[in-house]
Amino acid sequence: MLKLTLKSLLSRKLRLVLSGLAVVLAVMFVSGSMVIKDTLNRSIDAQFTGAYEDIDLHVALKPKVKSTASDDITVVPPLDRATVDRVAKLPGVAGTSGLVRAEGARVIGKDGKVVPGTGGPRYGESWRGESELISLRSGHEPTSDTEVAVNAGLAEKAGLEVGDKVGVLTNEPRRTFVVAGVFGFSGDRDSISGEQTVAFTEPVAQRLMLGTTGGYSGVKVTLAADASAAAVQSALARELGARYDVLTGSQLAERESDEARDILDMMGMVLLGFAGVAVFVGIFLIINTFSIIIAQRMRELALLRALGASRKQVIGSVLLESFAVGLVSSTLGLAAGIGIGALGADLLASSTDGLEVAGLSVPTSAVVVSFTVGIVVTMLAALVPALRASKVAPIAVIRAAATPQDRHRKQTWAGTALLGIGLVLLALGLFGSGGAAPLITGILLAFVGISLLTPLISKPSVEVLGALFARATPGALGRRNSARNPRRTAITASAMMIGVALVTAISTVAASAEDSVNRGINRDLKADLVAMGDAGSAASATIDPAALNRIAEAPGVQNVAAATLDMATVGKENQPVAAWQDWSKAREVLGLKKAEGNLDTLAPGTVVMNENTAERRGLKTGDRVTLQFQRGDARAYRVAGVFQDTTLSSGIVVPWADAEADFRSKQPSQAYFQLAAGADESKARAQIAALLKDSPEVTVRTRADVIEMFGGAFDTVLTVVQGLLGVAMLIAVLGIVNTLALSILERTKEMGMLRAIGLTRGQTVRMIMTESVVISLFGAVLGIMVGGLLGLAAARALEDQGVSALALPWGQLLAYLIGAGVVGVIASLAPARRGARLNVLTAISHG
């Protein structure tokens, strides 16, 4: 049996290669993501290892609000001089020095815009002198309050040289400095990990970055020669208490390198998403391929059974073939994944200044997972055809080799049961209180159930679709051929159906969310113009308050409402918070409507919030809530009122005086402008933009611009969706090629007869192409229907998250249909060429 299996495997190399490509793609994405992550993790670790090599121990207060978003800045509370002196008195400490270093120093380039980031934070710090780590490359250290030094990476990015004047934004409005020096790091590095650093004199750094005088962000501790770092660290922790972090230089480097890995996690999730699609869709291709092989080997298997082969031997033969396919495919996929990982690591590193890629790393886990996924998936997908092969009766040796048609009742019952359970769980997720778990489970079960039931509708569906091409004889023949084997057609179309359904569902959710945002802005926004940062920096941008005062007095401007945004902690969770300079103007420009309580005023000690926040926090008018802001002590508030959910305002709103005292920045981050009746919007926009020239992080936008900006957030999602569709369609092409190749082989004699009675080569090509396009369109139409319904259900479940409208992406759906048709044409090329070149006499005498 082993020899027979190997001979069978080698005799059908092409189809096995086609089925194996699906496994190759899945393994490539899995191993590639793991290689990228491991290689860049090691690269980041290597970069940060030397970042704090001059620090024995570092002491700092723990942040009061820990940022969880990549674009948020965590504020480190300042230490006073007494703490520095207190640390210096402990045994084992040879010396201490106060450090000033915080995120938030943004350099304004020569084009008047903030210099773009390069993957790392933007630091403002006090000049700490040259050392083995830091050295001046040109100029001198900053010695006056009007001088700064910048790292070489920032100098190159901004085109700065010693003697240039440069504007810097910090916790205060723009200030202009002279570049006194440019510094670099050991190893001839321009930066440690793509960060941009501006070094001030110590008093200026304390005032601009910490908002205080005489304060420090941390204490650098130098140990005595005979001191144990672990012992001194423990002593410092006991002496200072739980509010302080006492870390070694290596621990500090490890913590910062961990924070720098967020982008790697996101990249890994995207690649694993591609792998999941490839695996899921590839299962159908493998099942179809082995079903085709079993159909071709029907007489061979029957003869083996007649000669004494047991059912277990037949099952083992098929599974051995699948093991060989999985093994070879996993090996190729791992090799491709290593290549993708190396390329991806280089591309990501090249986009981050200062990050040098360590040697390519292939973790053991990548090898284990690759072969596990490849072999197990292939063998599981081949199990059903293997069981079917074992049931071949010896009498079948005298029958035709085509696969017998049956009703597949077990598959129908299983599909019906799964679909029913999925619909019940969908209903619970949509209308019950079970949360997202039943909804997601219901979608998955409904997905699988529909896939199993596809053979029931494949024949009538392809006959209807085939009618579009049936006017000519080749089209009519192609239509009939596509409906000849409903089960095989259904499995082949399932690859296309699953891919299109997946991207249609995601696109539908994105379209619904985008439409909800657009409607919400048009409904709620009463301002004519808005000044804010881009979508990723809307909360961290700053606006000079003095400029807003001048704008308020400008002709044509009727109303100005300014807000600042931040994060606070409620209990153990972070919570978006906002404050408005004038609450009455905020209510007007945002069109806020009362849900309960009082929204007329925002008195000291009170807050208001939107309905969703109140419901999520279990709060109502009159309740008490305690907020911990980035600075200062925790504050207790009374809920004065609740307003209806809007697109532009959510979270908790606190009095402006509290924001000025305890928010990360005292400057507004957004401003809304209402124009007087008859004012020229374009002139007003230009006038406001000119007055905000010293606040380059914000752009003055019209209502349409705001809608477009928020809509841009969905473009990234759709880009990933198109990639997923590409993977699914690639696998669908392989499946259709397999099916057509079998169809031609099974119908060799029939095609010879058709050619003999006058069917030309061109007509043969069109017949096979019609069959391919019909199967492809059937999968796409079914996928659009299933994906659209599931996407609408998922969007409906997100109503509490602000998705208030349901919408279908009609343009994209049309593109998916056209793409499916193109895929059908491409998939038919090789089989059609083979069919057209059949020798008529040989074909007639076949089989």
Side-chain angles (χ1 to χ4, degrees):
M1 288 298 294
L2 178 61
K3 291 181 178 179
L4 288 172
T5 300
L6 294 177
K7 286 190 66 176
S8 173
L9 185 66
L10 294 174
S11 66
R12 298 173 178 86
K13 295 184 287 293
L14 178 59
R15 291 191 185 90
L16 293 175
V17 167
L18 291 175
S19 63
L21 282 177
V23 182
V24 170
L25 289 173
V27 172
M28 180 184 71
F29 287 122
V30 171
S31 58
S33 65
M34 299 178 77
V35 169
I36 287 176
K37 189 171 183 178
D38 190 76
T39 300
L40 289 185
N41 278 346
R42 291 171 56 254
S43 303
I44 291 173
D45 288 342
Q47 293 292 95
F48 279 100
T49 296
Y52 299 98
E53 60 188 13
D54 59 338
I55 293 179
D56 293 330
L57 291 174
H58 181 270
V59 177
L61 278 165
K62 294 179 179 178
K64 296 182 177 180
V65 178
K66 177 63 177 176
S67 172
T68 56
S70 59
D71 57 333
D72 286 341
I73 296 175
T74 298
V75 173
V76 178
L79 300 164
D80 55 20
R81 185 70 211 181
T83 302
V84 180
D85 296 336
R86 182 181 171 189
V87 171
K89 294 176 182 179
L90 285 180
V93 176
T96 59
S97 59
L99 302 175
V100 180
R101 193 185 200 210
E103 288 189 58
R106 293 93 69 202
V107 169
I108 300 174
K110 295 179 180 180
D111 59 355
K113 301 293 184 181
V114 171
V115 177
T118 51
R122 296 180 172 114
Y123 287 122
E125 63 177 29
S126 59
W127 174 254
R128 43 180 165 158
E130 293 188 85
S131 64
E132 292 183 359
L133 177 65
I134 299 174
S135 60
L136 283 166
R137 293 186 181 175
S138 61
H140 59 84
E141 65 184 47
T143 56
S144 71
D145 291 353
T146 60
E147 291 182 335
V148 295
V150 297
N151 71 305
L154 172 56
E156 181 180 357
K157 187 77 173 178
L160 296 175
E161 297 178 353
V162 172
D164 287 347
K165 290 185 177 181
V166 61
V168 181
L169 299 172
T170 59
N171 291 332
E172 295 187 6
R174 171 177 177 161
R175 287 191 55 180
T176 301
F177 297 88
V178 175
V179 178
V182 175
F183 62 91
F185 300 89
S186 59
D188 198 31
R189 291 175 292 177
D190 294 340
S191 67
I192 296 295
S193 61
E195 81 283 354
Q196 298 177 357
T197 302
V198 181
F200 309 91
T201 59
E202 185 174 285
V204 174
Q206 289 171 330
R207 185 169 65 254
L208 297 183
M209 303 310 303
L210 303 181
T212 184
T213 56
Y216 299 94
S217 60
V219 181
K220 174 185 175 182
V221 179
T222 302
L223 299 178
D226 58 347
S228 165
V232 177
Q233 185 179 20
S234 298
L236 280 171
R238 289 193 301 270
E239 171 69 20
L240 297 174
R243 294 190 306 120
Y244 290 80
D245 275 330
V246 183
L247 303 174
T248 64
S250 59
Q251 289 172 335
L252 196 62
E254 182 179 356
R255 185 176 70 178
E256 293 206 8
S257 65
D258 287 342
E259 295 173 355
R261 293 189 180 116
D262 291 344
I263 188 172
L264 304 184
D265 294 336
M266 181 63 67
M267 182 80 171
M269 292 298 292
V270 171
L271 288 174
L272 287 177
F274 287 139
V277 171
V279 170
F280 192 44
V281 179
I283 287 174
F284 289 87
L285 173 57
I286 298 168
I287 291 175
N288 204 24
T289 299
F290 279 92
S291 297
I292 289 171
I293 293 171
I294 297 305
Q296 292 179 345
R297 296 176 60 195
M298 189 68 69
R299 286 184 175 177
E300 174 189 331
L301 294 172
L303 182 59
L304 289 174
R305 292 295 311 281
L307 293 175
S310 66
R311 292 185 62 182
K312 288 184 178 180
Q313 286 178 311
V314 173
I315 293 174
S317 174
V318 177
L319 291 182
L320 181 59
E321 287 189 21
S322 67
F323 173 80
V325 172
L327 180 63
V328 173
S329 301
S330 299
T331 303
L332 296 175
L334 177 60
I338 293 172
I340 291 291
L343 178 62
D346 285 337
L347 289 176
L348 284 175
S350 65
S351 65
T352 304
D353 289 355
L355 180 60
E356 298 180 1
V357 179
L360 181 66
S361 173
V362 182
T364 303
S365 57
V367 179
V368 173
V369 171
S370 295
F371 282 99
T372 301
V373 169
I375 294 174
V376 171
V377 166
T378 307
M379 294 187 71
L380 286 177
L383 183 59
V384 173
L387 293 174
R388 188 179 301 119
S390 70
K391 297 178 182 180
V392 176
I395 194 64
V397 73
I398 62 173
R399 296 178 180 171
T403 305
Q405 298 299 306
D406 56 56
R407 298 181 182 276
H408 302 287
R409 293 179 180 177
K410 292 182 180 179
Q411 178 175 325
T412 301
W413 281 111
T416 303
L418 290 175
L419 179 59
I421 296 172
L423 292 177
V424 170
L425 291 175
L426 269 173
L428 288 176
L430 291 172
F431 307 108
S433 56
L439 179 69
I440 295 173
T441 306
I443 289 175
L444 291 175
L445 290 179
F447 220 51
V448 176
I450 291 170
S451 299
L452 293 175
L453 293 173
T454 305
L456 292 179
I457 61 173
S458 63
K459 185 172 182 177
S461 298
V462 296
E463 286 183 348
V464 170
L465 289 171
L468 300 173
F469 310 95
R471 292 184 179 180
T473 299
L477 291 172
R479 172 192 181 188
R480 292 180 181 179
N481 291 336
S482 60
R484 177 176 295 187
N485 192 326
R487 184 176 180 279
R488 186 183 300 156
T489 298
I491 294 178
T492 306
S494 291
M496 179 68 72
M497 183 270 286
I498 291 170
V500 173
L502 177 64
V503 296
T504 298
I506 299 174
S507 300
T508 300
V509 173
S512 298
E514 185 174 7
D515 191 54
S516 300
V517 169
N518 294 349
R519 293 187 183 191
I521 293 174
N522 280 320
R523 179 188 66 242
D524 301 329
L525 183 59
K526 309 303 179 184
D528 298 291
L529 298 170
V530 180
M532 61 169 56
D534 294 332
S537 61
S540 58
T542 58
I543 302 176
D544 186 353
L548 293 179
N549 293 334
R550 291 192 293 271
I551 292 172
E553 299 174 356
V557 178
Q558 178 178 312
N559 192 10
V560 178
T564 185
L565 310 176
D566 208 348
M567 295 295 294
T569 299
V570 181
K572 294 183 179 181
E573 297 181 358
N574 283 358
Q575 170 68 54
V577 289
W580 293 81
Q581 283 183 324
D582 189 321
W583 174 238
S584 62
K585 292 180 179 179
R587 297 199 321 272
E588 183 178 348
V589 298
L590 297 179
L592 298 183
K593 298 178 181 179
K594 182 178 73 173
E596 62 175 83
N598 180 22
L599 298 182
D600 294 337
T601 60
L602 192 57
T606 64
V607 296
V608 296
M609 62 189 68
N610 67 311
E611 289 177 300
N612 184 268
T613 299
E615 181 180 353
R616 185 163 48 88
R617 297 289 180 189
L619 298 171
K620 60 182 183 300
T621 301
D623 287 348
R624 308 290 294 184
V625 61
T626 300
L627 301 177
Q628 174 63 65
F629 300 121
Q630 298 262 30
R631 307 180 192 276
D633 297 327
R635 294 175 181 262
Y637 292 93
R638 179 181 62 84
V639 179
V642 176
F643 55 87
Q644 296 178 11
D645 291 331
T646 67
T647 302
L648 292 171
S649 182
S650 62
I652 298 175
V653 182
V654 303
W656 180 259
D658 296 346
E660 284 190 308
D662 293 339
F663 274 26
R664 179 185 61 82
S665 174
K666 299 178 176 62
Q667 303 172 78
S669 55
Q670 298 178 1
Y672 297 78
F673 310 101
Q674 286 182 317
L675 304 181
D680 188 307
E681 184 181 277
S682 60
K683 289 183 179 179
R685 182 181 186 182
Q687 178 181 239
I688 293 172
L691 292 171
L692 291 175
K693 61 182 176 63
D694 287 335
S695 302
E697 291 177 299
V698 298
T699 302
V700 182
R701 309 172 192 270
T702 63
R703 183 183 284 106
D705 293 334
V706 173
I707 291 174
E708 183 179 355
M709 183 189 76
F710 279 96
F714 301 103
D715 292 340
T716 302
V717 175
L718 294 179
T719 299
V720 174
V721 166
Q722 304 309 325
L724 293 173
L725 178 61
V727 172
M729 283 193 164
L730 176 58
I731 297 175
V733 168
L734 303 178
I736 295 172
V737 169
N738 258 352
T739 299
L740 294 180
L742 172 66
S743 179
I744 291 170
L745 184 62
E746 288 181 343
R747 304 199 314 264
T748 299
K749 187 170 185 177
E750 173 189 323
M751 294 183 67
M753 295 292 291
L754 290 172
R755 291 292 312 281
I757 62 175
L759 193 71
T760 66
R761 286 188 173 186
Q763 289 175 320
T764 302
V765 169
R766 290 198 295 274
M767 176 185 70
I768 296 172
M769 189 173 292
T770 298
E771 183 177 350
S772 176
V773 171
V774 168
I775 293 174
S776 186
L777 287 178
F778 168 55
V781 170
L782 187 59
I784 287 173
M785 293 174 61
V786 173
L789 291 174
L790 294 179
L792 291 174
R796 170 66 177 79
L798 295 173
E799 186 175 8
D800 291 342
Q801 307 302 317
V803 182
S804 57
L806 299 180
L808 288 170
W810 295 108
Q812 293 171 43
L813 300 185
L814 178 60
Y816 298 159
L817 278 177
I818 295 174
V822 173
V823 163
V825 171
I826 294 174
S828 70
L829 294 178
R833 182 183 180 188
R834 180 181 179 184
R837 291 187 173 185
L838 284 175
N839 183 282
V840 176
L841 295 178
T842 303
I844 291 174
S845 62
H846 181 77

